[in-house]
Amino acid sequence: MTFRFCDGMDSYATTANLNIRWNTVTQTNISTTGGRFGGGALTSAASNPYSMSIIKSVSIPSGAKVRIGMSYKYGTGAAPNGVNTSYPILALNNSHILGMNTSGMLVVTTLGATTAQITSTIAMTDTSFHWIELEYQLNGASGSAQLYVDGILQGTVTANLGAAAAISTITFGGGYVFGGTAWIDDVIVWDDQGTSFNTYPLGPRRISTLLPNADGDLAQFTPKTGTAHYAMVNGGYTSGNYVSDAGAGNIDLYKFPPLSYTPVDVNAVVGNYYGQNSGSGTTSLIPKLKTGTTTISGATLTLPVGALALFQSPFMTDASGTAWNAAAVNAMQLGMGD
C-alpha cells in the first residue's frame, strides 16, 4: 500500500469534529468557506500560526520515501520569524522537517534541526494558496528530499537527513509566525511502497468531498428510520442516523452528485466509513465500488466494539481496472458490504 491518508477539510461542522479524523489538535479552527476552492480549510486560532498543530498517526516503514502534499496559505500579518524546530509547517515523528524563513521562503531541514537542506524560490507571503509537495527519506547517508511548490521543482538533495526510522506521526502546522493566519487544505500523504499511487510529484491537486444523494442498485442494510438508505449516511459526525446489518453477505450502495468541475485526471476515489460494532466479537465492513456492471471490494475493515471510528478505503481505478476519469466518478456507486 502506498496511499496513507487524505483530507479535503470539507466534512467538519465544528472544530471538535477534527478529533474524529486527527489524533492531536492544538489551536486549530475550521473555516467552512476559506479553502482553496471555496470549501473548508483548517485555520490557526487566535491569529497565531505558530500555535497551530494537527497530528495524524500513520504507519510508514523505515527507509521509505514519505510524500506529503497540501495547499498552504499564510495571510497578512506579522512577518515570519524564521525556522524554529518547535513550530514546524511539517514534522515527522514530532521532529521538524519544513519551516519558513524570514523572507517567507520554505526551508526543508535536517530532521529535528534548523539546518537548511533546500530553500524555495517561491515565497509564501503573497496571501495566496500554494500547493506544496515534499518527498523526504530518512535513510542515513542515503537519505534524500525533494520540494515542489505549485508544480515547480524548488530543489533536490541527497544527504543524511536522519537515521532510518519508521514514521508513526506527521504534524501539520502554521510555521513560526506570531501574527496573521495560516490556512491548510487538501492534505494527501503517501509513500513509495507498493505498486499504485506511488507517483511523485502529483502536481497541484484538489480533493472533492461528495455526499450520497440517492440509493444505489443494492440496498440490503437496514436504515434507522424511513426507507432512504443514503439519507442515513450523509449526515455530519454528530448525526444519530445510520444503517446497520446483523447478517453477512449484504450490500448497500449509494449514488453521488457529479463533480462540480472536470479534472484533467483523477488519482483515486477514497471512501470514508464511520461506524462501530454495536455487539460483540468481530464485525467486518467491506468497502464496495460499482462502476458499469462490475462491483469490487476494498480491503476488509474491522469495526471497533462500542466506539465509533473513521476509516478510509482508497480505490485507485474504477471497478474494471481502468484509470479514473470524471465521467466514471460521476457515474460510480460506493458503499459497503459485510
Side-chain angles (χ1 to χ4, degrees), residues 18-318:
L18 288 169
N19 294 293
I20 294 169
R21 191 184 297 262
W22 296 82
N23 299 92
T24 304
V25 179
T26 304
Q27 292 294 303
T28 303
N29 287 334
I30 293 295
S31 170
T32 58
T33 59
R36 183 166 191 170
F37 301 100
L42 306 187
T43 66
S44 51
S47 296
N48 287 323
Y50 79 90
S51 64
M52 179 183 185
S53 176
I54 190 162
I55 301 174
K56 180 65 179 179
S57 293
V58 293
S59 180
I60 297 176
S62 178
K65 293 180 179 180
V66 183
R67 293 157 172 175
I68 302 167
M70 68 173 178
S71 288
Y72 174 88
K73 180 173 76 169
Y74 164 65
T76 56
N81 293 84
V83 177
N84 186 310
T85 57
S86 297
Y87 306 107
I89 293 175
L90 288 173
L92 300 180
N93 296 344
N94 298 311
S95 294
H96 187 286
I97 61 168
L98 182 71
M100 184 165 52
N101 65 20
T102 55
S103 298
M105 307 298 182
L106 294 173
V107 179
V108 180
T109 70
T110 304
L111 182 74
T114 58
T115 307
Q117 296 288 351
I118 300 171
T119 301
S120 73
T121 59
I122 298 175
M124 300 294 107
T125 49
D126 59 358
T127 70
S128 298
F129 270 109
H130 293 276
W131 175 253
I132 299 170
E133 284 188 81
L134 175 61
E135 179 184 82
Y136 199 92
Q137 183 185 30
L138 292 172
N139 201 31
S142 299
S144 63
Q146 277 193 331
L147 176 67
Y148 283 79
V149 176
D150 299 329
I152 301 171
L153 179 64
Q154 303 297 294
T156 299
V157 65
T158 300
N160 189 343
L161 304 176
I167 307 303
S168 59
T169 63
I170 299 178
T171 301
F172 298 80
Y176 191 41
V177 185
F178 286 107
T181 306
W183 285 262
I184 294 174
D185 194 9
D186 290 347
V187 167
I188 307 173
V189 177
W190 73 110
D191 57 42
D192 65 339
Q193 308 297 292
T195 58
S196 62
F197 207 99
N198 55 10
T199 298
Y200 180 86
L202 295 176
R205 299 286 95 178
R206 176 178 179 176
I207 297 175
S208 288
T209 302
L210 304 177
L211 296 176
N213 66 348
D215 287 344
D217 294 341
L218 293 172
Q220 298 173 339
F221 279 47
T222 300
K224 178 186 176 184
T225 60
T227 59
H229 293 223
Y230 79 93
M232 297 292 101
V233 298
N234 64 359
Y237 293 114
T238 59
S239 172
N241 293 329
Y242 57 83
V243 294
S244 62
D245 191 55
N250 291 322
I251 298 175
D252 243 26
L253 293 174
Y254 314 106
K255 297 178 180 179
F256 296 82
L259 294 166
S260 61
Y261 64 103
T262 302
V264 174
D265 54 28
V266 178
N267 295 106
V269 167
V270 180
N272 288 268
Y273 299 90
Y274 189 47
Q276 65 176 323
N277 175 1
S278 59
S280 59
T282 300
T283 296
S284 296
L285 183 148
I286 306 170
K288 298 287 184 177
L289 169 71
K290 182 175 183 178
T291 57
T293 60
T294 303
T295 302
I296 61 172
S297 299
T300 299
L301 308 173
T302 300
L303 299 179
V305 176
L308 287 163
L310 184 69
F311 300 87
Q312 290 192 324
S313 179
F315 291 93
M316 305 305 173
T317 66
D318 70 15

